[in-house]
Amino acid sequence: MRLSRYFMPILKETPKEAEIVSHRLMLRTGMIRQQSQGIYSWLPLGKRVLDKVNAVIREEQNRAGAIELSMPTLQSADLWQESGRYEDYGKEMLRIRDRQDRPMLYGPTNEEMVTDIFRSYVKSYKSLPLNLYHIQLKFRDEIRPRFGTMRSREFLMKDAYSFDLTQAEAIHSYNKMFVAYLRTFDRLGLRAIPMRADTGPIGGNHSHEFIILADTGESEVFCHKSFVDFDIPPVDTDFDNVEGLQTIFDKWTSVYAATSEMHDEAAFAAIGEGDRLSARGIEVGHIFYFGTKYSEPMGAKVQGPDGKEHPVHMGSYGIGPTRLVPAIIEASHDENGIIWPESIAPFNAVVINMKPGDEACDSTCERLYAALQNAGKDVLYDDTDDRAGTKFATADLIGVPVQVIAGPRAVAAGEVELKDRKTGARETLTIEAAINKLTA
Amino acid sequence: MRLSRYFMPILKETPKEAEIVSHRLMLRTGMIRQQSQGIYSWLPLGKRVLDKVNAVIREEQNRAGAIELSMPTLQSADLWQESGRYEDYGKEMLRIRDRQDRPMLYGPTNEEMVTDIFRSYVKSYKSLPLNLYHIQLKFRDEIRPRFGTMRSREFLMKDAYSFDLTQAEAIHSYNKMFVAYLRTFDRLGLRAIPMRADTGPIGGNHSHEFIILADTGESEVFCHKSFVDFDIPPVDTDFDNVEGLQTIFDKWTSVYAATSEMHDEAAFAAIGEGDRLSARGIEVGHIFYFGTKYSEPMGAKVQGPDGKEHPVHMGSYGIGPTRLVPAIIEASHDENGIIWPESIAPFNAVVINMKPGDEACDSTCERLYAALQNAGKDVLYDDTDDRAGTKFATADLIGVPVQVIAGPRAVAAGEVELKDRKTGARETLTIEAAINKLTA
């Protein structure tokens, strides 16, 4: 992408309304724009990151055997009356009447709708296990939306729903998502800690929140320090191996970790003082097993091997991509701006032309730009007339992992400079060597 | 994807409520499910097709220089009061009040919001031309939603918005989208005919609908037959070439084509009788140039080279992916089911195991399945215990381009059978030759 043709409205001033660093940086880099209270547009740079986050989530959901569909944003109130949640949900549910005066709502979550889909088609245990997910907009009419997309009203959610014949099988489905989440957050450059959690309005009796530690977190969390060294389940993890997954789950839940709602002072005190960690955290995922809470009232039953009908055991599994993006920034930035993990960087590299109009600089940059693109890299080419200082500041601010700097002196010697955004390390390479390194 | 682990609820009965073939086939193949009147879930098979349609649209938008962002579904009524459309839009606009009793709406289109984004950031003609697009859910509260996702209330729309300093430049931006649309529909296996159109509630004075011919179309259309032979602009079309694009536009608008609203009996009669085409059509895209209709009241101005402020000239460009999918089915099916164009088929091939449990059949199918997947193909593997007849009927119904049939006799001879869904042609190949052919 040529920056001269891109739409990346960098703000010079730090926006006053932003209380936390991720919100400030997302506004300053032109990633997002607030349209109404708690409702945001994702401008091109933000959209690129969001898409990459979604792609990682999707890959790990698919790897764990979940199947993607897409449910609509608007739901009929009928379904929620069946489950009993229509009255319970309170003012966070955005209630709507259509032109026929039918009661509708903007879905805050999809347990009812997915249960309705399930009961319409699935009649036998032979079709189980089943895990259906989508990545879809939700709306929760928060009384106090804040921190940009960290707590917005319209937000994106990956929500998966598992269906099993028995509780034991449902726990295996739960463990699949537990492992998928560990892998997902790790690939996003985060160390997320699963913590026993309150089940809230979703209901149920087995639930974990995945929390990353950050000073700006809304939750207070308590855990054992050893989490930092736990191994992430590898890419070839066999999700059909019931015992294997249970072992991973047991390991990751073997030491103390809890949010304030579930905190047990005595258990925490029992940890050696040097191993106690008490901090602020950001919830980036939440998984629930809730048994037959919805299948029972909504009649989602399958015929078992015994020939009888059984309500299915269900779980639900949420990750908020529009919250993950600021969470990643909270975890990875410095005084100059964002530092994106490679996996979700909006561009893999930025080519900085120090003297546009200079024939040698132009041709070198065009060559680099073409070579990286041909190798399948996402490249930003700063071909603008801005001053060098502005270009460097912008490149640092938007956090692209590698800067390729083409100035007249280096180019005359057949060289360019590479700067690593994270470490600040610089090296001068021949143009060919730079291309080889960046396309390796 | 192993069919035994997939969620593809094929219906045996043809649903009574479906009036047109695409709606029937989308229900029968388990591509969609109606959740409320005019509101649909896209089940996994449908979601796959929809994603592929979106990918083609996105590639062609990007090629033409449009830049993707994502605007929210809910909008503040304020913006629409600024443009004067809040009252005008009528009952198709879904009006909502949030918990603070603020008037909101579910966006039926985004001219106002994108104009607001533009005016917030862009101040100089040097930032132009600019074309911003998104692929986002919209809602129009149709009094009579029908034909499945062909005319639904919640639907997906790719809408692009161009911004230029002058009318002449805006016409070039219009031509870019005109050419992008010709290429997009061609890649989707459709021959779309651009027709001068009424501009409706979007307003403006230069507009074309892209119409495909189908008996079930809602519009009556009149055109010259020669359209069928016009060349599609090639992949290396230079979108910066003003004259080149104008030449393409002129060619494609040189012969008579109009919807009934714009029909000119005399002009049509002037065409030789054998060259007249009067038919039903489905609108699959709509592009508008509307000048300063929104920029003027909303104050979207840039400084020109003359140092003065000028309201920008705008256009908008829509394609409905959730409508395109049924339109493609209307254009490409037979009595046995859907026939997907390769570009958007949910799977490139289906491997049919005729005797699961038979060691030779199983190992051959696993080998084929792995080889095709490793080559980056989307493969469905029918590993179920269904009868052969059911498997063949399903494969035909869902319209996957190639069926790879592995029966015990062929497999014993080291062979499989390939069936082309479209032509019905069959050939027997060694397993290796089949893999080579399908991964070529």
Side-chain angles (χ1 to χ4, degrees):
Chain A
M1 178 61 64
R2 287 168 203 275
L3 185 53
S4 63
R5 293 178 163 220
Y6 199 43
F7 180 63
M8 191 174 81
I10 301 291
L11 302 185
K12 283 183 190 135
E13 308 286 313
T14 295
K16 284 182 204 116
E17 74 269 31
E19 296 169 53
I20 61 173
V21 66
S22 59
H23 190 191
R24 284 197 292 275
L25 287 171
M26 289 175 78
L27 290 171
R28 279 205 58 204
T29 54
M31 287 180 65
I32 55 169
R33 171 178 159 72
Q34 179 169 297
Q35 301 296 157
S36 318
Q37 199 196 12
I39 301 180
Y40 289 83
S41 284
W42 287 74
L43 303 182
L45 191 73
K47 178 68 164 64
R48 276 183 170 261
V49 175
L50 189 57
D51 285 347
K52 293 198 175 185
V53 167
N54 288 337
V56 169
I57 292 171
R58 197 169 265 134
E59 272 183 38
E60 295 299 332
Q61 290 292 296
N62 294 346
R63 196 191 309 284
I67 301 167
E68 188 173 7
L69 45 60
S70 179
M71 291 177 270
T73 60
L74 294 198
Q75 306 188 15
S76 163
D78 300 352
L79 279 178
W80 290 70
Q81 276 151 355
E82 273 194 71
S83 74
R85 282 208 292 181
Y86 188 61
E87 299 309 327
D88 295 353
Y89 214 94
K91 290 196 166 182
E92 278 195 14
M93 179 186 276
L94 186 68
R95 290 155 214 260
I96 300 169
R97 297 230 163 220
D98 71 5
R99 72 189 292 176
Q100 318 274 14
D101 204 36
R102 282 174 295 215
M104 314 277 296
L105 56 98
Y106 199 122
T109 177
N110 281 60
E111 280 80 7
E112 282 79 358
M113 189 176 275
V114 79
T115 303
D116 177 55
I117 291 172
F118 180 89
R119 71 181 173 185
S120 306
Y121 298 110
V122 182
K123 305 297 176 192
S124 163
Y125 75 97
K126 290 178 189 164
S127 302
L128 305 183
L130 185 63
N131 183 325
L132 299 174
Y133 79 97
H134 70 163
I135 300 180
Q136 180 60 292
L137 293 168
K138 309 282 187 293
F139 197 90
R140 289 182 193 164
D141 203 353
E142 303 263 0
I143 188 78
R144 199 177 148 231
R146 60 192 180 281
F147 305 149
T149 65
M150 187 81 85
R151 185 173 285 277
S152 55
R153 296 198 294 165
E154 184 172 318
F155 60 97
L156 205 56
M157 173 91 101
K158 185 289 298 178
D159 37 329
Y161 302 91
S162 65
F163 303 88
D164 286 280
L165 181 64
T166 66
Q167 177 167 10
E169 286 157 352
I171 294 300
H172 179 51
S173 292
Y174 185 90
N175 289 345
K176 286 183 191 173
M177 288 293 108
F178 187 95
V179 170
Y181 276 34
L182 291 177
R183 286 191 43 78
T184 300
F185 297 125
D186 181 63
R187 287 184 60 191
L188 298 174
L190 300 170
R191 168 95 351 180
I193 301 174
M195 304 199 180
R196 283 183 57 221
D198 190 17
T199 55
I202 304 279
N205 47 24
H206 193 46
S207 172
H208 287 86
E209 287 179 4
F210 289 77
I211 307 269
I212 60 164
L213 306 182
D215 293 341
T216 48
E218 289 185 281
S219 322
E220 199 176 357
V221 296
F222 306 87
C223 70
H224 194 288
K225 276 190 177 163
S226 62
F227 272 112
V228 180
D229 300 322
F230 283 3
D231 288 334
I232 298 296
V235 64
D236 60 355
T237 299
D238 177 3
F239 283 87
D240 291 332
N241 182 340
V242 175
E243 282 178 29
L245 293 200
Q246 189 62 46
T247 303
I248 296 170
F249 176 86
D250 290 345
K251 166 78 177 170
W252 278 84
T253 54
S254 61
V255 292
Y256 188 81
T259 57
S260 55
E261 293 92 339
M262 303 294 280
H263 187 43
D264 176 341
E265 283 290 354
F268 191 58
I271 302 172
E273 199 169 343
D275 288 333
R276 276 181 231 153
L277 189 60
S278 149
R280 310 294 303 175
I282 301 171
E283 182 201 323
V284 288
H286 203 158
I287 63 177
F288 302 87
Y289 161 68
F290 45 72
T292 60
K293 180 180 160 73
Y294 299 95
S295 59
E296 194 81 76
M298 295 184 67
K301 295 174 190 168
V302 294
Q303 194 172 50
D306 57 3
K308 291 181 188 155
E309 290 205 316
H310 303 266
V312 286
H313 287 253
M314 293 174 57
S316 71
Y317 314 91
I319 292 180
T322 45
R323 154 173 281 217
L324 260 176
V325 173
I328 292 164
I329 295 173
E330 292 292 333
S332 186
H333 67 272
D334 63 17
E335 66 282 10
N336 296 319
I338 302 168
I339 301 171
W340 290 116
E342 181 72 35
S343 58
I344 56 157
F347 298 98
N348 304 109
V350 51
V351 174
I352 301 177
N353 188 339
M354 300 288 289
K355 199 174 178 187
D358 176 272
E359 207 174 305
C361 282
D362 288 354
S363 68
T364 296
C365 287
E366 292 290 345
R367 187 181 152 202
L368 284 158
Y369 182 52
L372 297 182
Q373 283 193 310
N374 289 339
K377 300 290 177 185
D378 289 322
V379 192
L380 182 65
Y381 172 22
D382 189 342
D383 60 341
T384 64
D385 293 328
D386 289 339
R387 286 175 312 124
T390 304
K391 292 189 179 194
F392 292 143
T394 297
D396 279 352
L397 184 67
I398 66 172
V400 173
V402 184
Q403 300 169 15
V404 186
I405 303 161
R409 213 171 312 166
V411 164
E415 293 175 335
V416 289
E417 192 180 22
L418 262 56
K419 179 184 162 190
D420 183 297
R421 170 66 182 91
K422 187 172 182 176
T423 63
R426 292 161 180 272
E427 59 179 328
T428 299
L429 292 176
T430 65
I431 294 160
E432 204 141 299
I435 291 173
N436 287 340
K437 179 165 184 171
L438 294 169
T439 58
Chain B
M1 179 59 65
R2 287 169 202 275
L3 185 53
S4 64
R5 294 179 162 220
Y6 199 44
F7 180 63
M8 190 174 81
I10 302 289
L11 302 184
K12 283 184 188 134
E13 308 285 311
T14 295
K16 284 182 202 120
E17 73 270 30
E19 296 170 53
I20 61 173
V21 67
S22 59
H23 190 192
R24 283 197 292 275
L25 287 171
M26 290 176 77
L27 290 171
R28 280 206 58 206
T29 54
M31 288 180 63
I32 55 169
R33 169 177 159 75
Q34 180 169 298
Q35 301 295 155
S36 317
Q37 198 195 13
I39 301 180
Y40 289 83
S41 284
W42 286 74
L43 303 182
L45 191 73
K47 179 67 164 62
R48 277 183 168 260
V49 176
L50 188 58
D51 285 347
K52 294 199 176 185
V53 167
N54 288 338
V56 170
I57 292 171
R58 197 169 265 134
E59 271 183 38
E60 295 300 332
Q61 290 292 296
N62 295 347
R63 196 192 308 284
I67 301 167
E68 188 172 8
L69 45 61
S70 180
M71 291 176 269
T73 60
L74 293 199
Q75 306 187 14
S76 162
D78 300 353
L79 281 177
W80 290 70
Q81 275 151 353
E82 274 194 70
S83 74
R85 282 207 291 182
Y86 188 61
E87 300 309 327
D88 294 356
Y89 216 94
K91 291 197 166 181
E92 278 194 14
M93 178 185 279
L94 186 67
R95 289 153 214 262
I96 300 169
R97 297 230 163 219
D98 70 7
R99 72 189 291 175
Q100 319 273 17
D101 204 36
R102 282 173 296 216
M104 314 277 297
L105 56 97
Y106 199 123
T109 177
N110 282 59
E111 281 79 7
E112 282 79 359
M113 189 175 275
V114 79
T115 303
D116 177 55
I117 290 173
F118 180 89
R119 72 181 173 185
S120 306
Y121 298 110
V122 183
K123 305 298 176 192
S124 163
Y125 76 97
K126 289 178 189 163
S127 302
L128 304 183
L130 185 63
N131 185 324
L132 300 173
Y133 78 97
H134 69 163
I135 300 180
Q136 180 60 293
L137 292 169
K138 310 283 186 295
F139 197 91
R140 290 184 192 163
D141 203 354
E142 303 263 0
I143 188 78
R144 203 180 145 229
R146 59 192 181 281
F147 305 149
T149 65
M150 187 81 86
R151 185 171 286 276
S152 55
R153 295 199 294 165
E154 184 172 318
F155 60 98
L156 204 57
M157 172 91 101
K158 185 289 298 178
D159 37 329
Y161 303 91
S162 64
F163 303 88
D164 286 279
L165 181 65
T166 66
Q167 176 166 12
E169 286 157 352
I171 294 301
H172 178 51
S173 292
Y174 185 91
N175 289 346
K176 286 183 191 172
M177 288 292 109
F178 188 94
V179 170
Y181 277 33
L182 291 176
R183 286 192 43 78
T184 301
F185 297 125
D186 181 63
R187 287 184 58 191
L188 298 174
L190 300 170
R191 168 96 348 182
I193 300 174
M195 303 199 180
R196 283 184 56 220
D198 191 17
T199 54
I202 305 279
N205 47 25
H206 194 47
S207 172
H208 287 85
E209 285 179 5
F210 289 77
I211 307 268
I212 59 164
L213 306 181
D215 294 342
T216 47
E218 289 185 282
S219 323
E220 199 176 356
V221 297
F222 305 88
C223 71
H224 193 288
K225 278 190 178 164
S226 61
F227 273 110
V228 180
D229 301 321
F230 283 2
D231 289 333
I232 298 296
V235 65
D236 61 355
T237 299
D238 177 4
F239 283 87
D240 291 331
N241 182 339
V242 176
E243 282 179 28
L245 292 201
Q246 189 62 46
T247 304
I248 296 169
F249 176 85
D250 290 345
K251 167 77 177 172
W252 279 85
T253 54
S254 62
V255 292
Y256 188 82
T259 57
S260 55
E261 292 90 340
M262 302 295 279
H263 187 45
D264 175 341
E265 281 289 356
F268 191 59
I271 302 171
E273 198 168 345
D275 289 333
R276 274 181 234 155
L277 189 59
S278 148
R280 309 295 302 177
I282 301 172
E283 183 201 323
V284 288
H286 203 158
I287 62 178
F288 302 87
Y289 160 70
F290 45 73
T292 60
K293 180 180 158 73
Y294 299 96
S295 57
E296 195 79 78
M298 295 184 67
K301 294 172 190 170
V302 295
Q303 194 172 48
D306 57 3
K308 292 182 188 153
E309 289 205 317
H310 303 267
V312 287
H313 287 254
M314 293 175 56
S316 72
Y317 313 93
I319 292 181
T322 44
R323 154 173 281 215
L324 260 176
V325 173
I328 292 164
I329 296 172
E330 291 292 332
S332 185
H333 68 271
D334 64 15
E335 66 281 10
N336 297 319
I338 301 167
I339 301 171
W340 291 115
E342 181 72 35
S343 58
I344 55 158
F347 297 98
N348 304 111
V350 51
V351 174
I352 302 176
N353 188 339
M354 299 289 287
K355 201 175 178 188
D358 177 273
E359 208 174 305
C361 282
D362 288 353
S363 68
T364 296
C365 287
E366 292 290 346
R367 185 178 155 202
L368 284 158
Y369 182 52
L372 297 182
Q373 282 193 312
N374 289 339
K377 300 290 177 185
D378 288 323
V379 192
L380 183 66
Y381 171 23
D382 189 343
D383 60 342
T384 64
D385 293 329
D386 290 338
R387 287 175 310 122
T390 303
K391 292 188 178 194
F392 292 143
T394 297
D396 279 353
L397 183 68
I398 65 172
V400 174
V402 184
Q403 300 168 15
V404 186
I405 304 160
R409 212 171 313 166
V411 164
E415 293 175 335
V416 289
E417 192 179 22
L418 263 55
K419 179 184 161 188
D420 182 297
R421 170 64 181 91
K422 186 171 183 177
T423 64
R426 292 162 180 273
E427 58 179 329
T428 300
L429 294 175
T430 65
I431 294 160
E432 203 141 299
I435 291 172
N436 288 339
K437 179 165 184 170
L438 294 169
T439 58

